Amino acid sequence: MDNLGTDNNPLLVAIVGSGPSGFYAAEALIKSDVKIKVDVIERLPSPYGLVRSGVAPDHQKLKQAINLYKKIADTPDFNLIANVTVGEDISVAELRKTHHAVIFTCGAETDRKLGISGEELKGSHTATEFVGWYNGHPDYRELEFDLSHDIAVIIGQGNVAADVSRILSKTVDELRHTDIAQHALDVLAESKLKEIHVIGRRGPAQAKFTPKELREFGELSDCNPIVQEQDLVLNDESKKELEEKSNITNKKIYDLFANFSKRELDSNKSKKCFFSFLLGPKEITGNISIEKLILEKNELSGEAFKQSAKGINETIEMDAGILFRSIGYRGVPISDVPFHEGWGTIPNEKGRVTDTDGVIVEQLYTGGWIKRGPSGIIGTNRACSVETVRCLLEDLDKLNIETKKSGAEGIYSILNNKNIRHISFDDWTKIDTEEVKHGEPKGKPREKYTYVNEMLSVIN
Ligand code: NAP
């Protein structure tokens, strides 16, 4: 047999997950000197992962990453096999037989838990659910969000919390020309919310927003951003943090909070979005639905940049009609793939999957959030996937086994034997075209299909 990675014996790689890290891994493989065939397997009929169903609809610029992904998908060595769940429709053991290597880039699909009583009450939601719902993700299509209350609370001060609270703070006119799902726009149009509270367990110097995202709260057409001046008093360690040149992002965030605290309230605006700090969620109370949130006042302890929040045994009570926990994502295990329960990631060394004792599992690799945890912006995943692909290509000799691999044909034969409908990139393009067409009369970039069977019927 010819050497692996040559025209007659291309390196066959299966990538699980078609979000940014999956596309960046495919790109790095295709651009390498080695002859490659890449099969990207996706659970939904639609590709692009969080760029389609995580990035906020009013942040269309961020979705331009899709233009690059389309170019990658257009190359002859790229193949999409969508509407297929690895671990259910096809096993990892089967993929190890059909391909030389498998890269898991399946993201962090679920949320971290607060672990407090009342978390499961009606009206207490995860950010993932709300984000998936307004972005038209089929998994969240049937969820209901009751916005008939005065007060919404968001726990967490990262960019996902910013997205959730901004969508709640905006008017329908500010959203109607985005690709927000129509069902979500209809519910938001009836929203009675007057107050949105965004709660941080640490201080204003530690909030994890990025300046662009926080600045948008100052530009909302019907919502005042509110920060209490006394909440901006910093301890010495936090002052040190903000003086550090490399910590310019947090300095900008703090300055934006200071700016909000000095703004005059615009009485023509009907909503207020409060940013509060040093408050740790202790309990959510209510009968069937959530009514109140009990928060413990916190103080910071530890040295600069390592400060953690500690309760001071003083609690406050807050009315809350609806609550969103936005405290970070975590990955979901796939059968036959090692998983670190504590971190919610696949254990790995620079992208080479290891078992929980650190021993490398041959043929398996990982990239993106399931590799390193849910951090960074879309572009961060490029460097992450490039590192993984570099390791994979270094391992070429180990992957060069004599047994012939069947690649995509092998996958199709397994799926066809089980009568599993799979979707190609061309099929997806038909769905894509229809979505764009349906969006046009409404002045939207697209109107998404929000049910899998609707997407499949377009191809039929
Ligand atoms: P994140 O940035 O890690 O923020 C999580 C927030 O939850 C932090 O404020 C954290 O506080 C808080 N938190 C964690 N555990 C908590 C607990 N037990 N009780 C109370 N608060 C708790 O996560 P994310 O917002 O989910 O975002 C994930 C990644 O996606 C980030 O890198 C983000 O920048 C990125 N993203 C980017 C964009 C964009 O570029 N527009 C949009 C969305 C997401 P501590 O700091 O104290 O831990």
Side-chain angles (χ1 to χ4, degrees):
M1 203 153 47
D2 286 346
N3 280 344
L4 186 59
T6 54
D7 283 347
N8 288 329
N9 187 18
L11 175 69
L12 305 179
V13 182
I15 296 179
V16 181
S18 70
S21 45
F23 269 96
Y24 292 132
E27 180 192 35
L29 285 164
I30 290 165
K31 280 188 173 167
S32 75
D33 297 335
V34 171
K35 181 67 194 162
I36 304 260
K37 289 265 174 221
V38 178
D39 294 300
V40 177
I41 307 168
E42 166 59 49
R43 180 167 70 87
L44 292 174
S46 52
Y48 311 137
L50 277 189
V51 177
R52 175 172 162 95
S53 55
V55 169
D58 56 342
H59 281 173
Q60 286 298 312
K61 251 192 174 168
L62 290 179
K63 299 198 187 222
Q64 285 173 6
I66 286 176
N67 296 335
L68 169 74
Y69 306 157
K70 277 186 185 162
K71 280 193 189 143
I72 298 167
D74 241 7
T75 56
D77 298 326
F78 178 99
N79 180 40
L80 179 74
I81 307 176
N83 199 38
V84 171
T85 305
V86 171
E88 286 178 25
D89 299 332
I90 189 164
S91 68
V92 171
E94 286 170 318
L95 289 179
R96 291 175 86 157
K97 283 191 190 137
T98 55
H99 287 69
H100 297 104
V102 186
I103 308 180
F104 297 93
T105 52
C106 32
E109 285 195 278
T110 189
D111 292 76
R112 292 176 55 208
K113 290 242 173 321
L114 277 171
I116 60 172
S117 134
E119 203 168 350
E120 307 307 332
L121 280 171
K122 199 167 169 230
S124 160
H125 305 277
T126 64
T128 310
E129 291 165 348
F130 189 58
V131 169
W133 173 78
Y134 64 61
N135 271 322
H137 190 302
D139 286 2
Y140 307 100
R141 172 64 179 89
E142 292 294 325
L143 296 183
E144 286 177 10
F145 296 91
D146 179 0
L147 304 180
S148 66
H149 308 275
D150 285 348
I151 301 176
V153 177
I154 292 95
I155 309 286
Q157 293 191 333
N159 277 335
V160 173
D163 286 346
V164 168
S165 36
R166 190 181 66 256
I167 294 293
L168 292 172
S169 302
K170 280 197 165 178
T171 61
V172 169
D173 281 341
E174 286 172 292
L175 294 171
R176 81 167 79 248
H177 298 303
T178 72
D179 67 350
I180 191 166
Q182 189 60 47
H183 62 259
L185 196 62
D186 294 343
V187 172
L188 288 163
E190 299 299 317
S191 168
K192 299 281 181 286
L193 291 178
K194 294 204 165 40
E195 291 184 14
I196 293 127
H197 292 261
V198 191
I199 312 276
R201 65 175 168 181
R202 296 193 290 159
Q206 288 81 31
K208 286 186 172 153
F209 306 122
T210 42
K212 181 190 159 291
E213 275 61 32
L214 186 60
R215 198 171 296 117
E216 287 175 71
F217 286 87
E219 296 154 7
L220 298 172
S221 71
D222 192 32
C223 183
N224 283 296
I226 297 190
V227 174
Q228 303 299 336
E229 215 164 347
Q230 68 266 23
D231 284 355
L232 295 176
V233 177
L234 299 177
N235 65 359
D236 287 345
E237 301 303 309
S238 296
K239 281 182 198 159
K240 249 192 239 170
E241 288 179 16
L242 294 190
E243 279 159 15
E244 175 70 44
K245 276 206 177 79
S246 61
N247 195 25
I248 181 78
T249 300
N250 283 71
K251 174 77 172 72
K252 283 184 182 169
I253 293 293
Y254 181 84
D255 290 346
L256 280 164
F257 285 141
N259 173 294
F260 292 167
S261 76
K262 292 190 186 88
R263 281 165 75 118
E264 232 171 81
L265 202 70
D266 182 342
S267 56
N268 292 321
K269 295 188 178 178
S270 72
K271 289 183 194 154
K272 291 177 185 147
C273 183
F274 296 84
F275 296 89
S276 308
F277 310 98
L278 292 170
L279 294 170
K282 285 298 274 185
E283 191 184 349
I284 303 168
T285 63
N287 270 330
I288 299 165
S289 301
I290 113 163
E291 287 167 23
K292 286 188 192 303
L293 171 66
I294 318 288
L295 294 156
E296 183 175 13
K297 289 190 184 175
N298 284 338
E299 63 182 15
L300 294 176
S301 71
E303 56 190 271
F305 295 107
K306 289 186 182 154
Q307 297 191 84
S308 58
K310 293 251 166 4
I312 59 166
N313 268 328
E314 214 181 296
T315 56
I316 58 166
E317 233 182 54
M318 187 179 208
D319 288 336
I322 187 163
L323 179 141
F324 300 92
R325 289 111 63 195
S326 182
I327 59 165
Y329 294 125
R330 47 178 284 123
V332 175
I334 298 179
S335 71
D336 296 333
V337 183
F339 189 71
H340 193 299
E341 271 303 330
W343 300 338
T345 55
I346 295 176
N348 69 90
E349 262 177 41
K350 295 184 177 172
R352 290 181 177 100
V353 172
T354 69
D355 65 15
T356 36
D357 295 325
V359 179
I360 285 173
V361 183
E362 279 185 13
Q363 282 186 281
L364 302 190
Y365 298 83
T366 181
W369 279 8
I370 193 69
K371 167 186 171 185
R372 64 173 203 281
S375 64
I377 54 171
I378 295 170
T380 316
N381 294 300
R382 191 176 217 160
C384 182
S385 290
V386 164
E387 178 188 59
T388 299
V389 167
R390 198 181 304 126
C391 290
L392 192 158
L393 295 176
E394 279 170 16
D395 296 345
L396 208 59
D397 284 348
K398 286 188 206 142
L399 302 170
N400 191 12
I401 46 162
E402 281 304 308
T403 334
K404 181 98 179 112
K405 300 281 183 184
S406 51
E409 293 315 315
I411 294 184
Y412 292 139
S413 142
I414 290 164
L415 296 175
N416 293 341
N417 280 339
K418 293 184 193 169
N419 244 331
I420 287 164
R421 175 88 187 267
H422 45 89
I423 298 237
S424 66
F425 198 81
D426 283 347
D427 292 332
W428 155 249
T429 305
K430 290 180 194 149
I431 301 171
D432 186 29
T433 307
E434 283 303 301
E435 287 190 348
V436 172
K437 207 160 91 187
H438 288 142
E440 268 166 20
K442 302 176 181 176
K444 297 175 80 171
R446 67 180 58 241
E447 187 60 62
K448 286 180 192 167
Y449 288 106
T450 55
Y451 291 104
V452 167
N453 58 6
E454 279 178 350
M455 295 191 207
L456 298 183
S457 67
V458 171
I459 306 161
N460 294 341

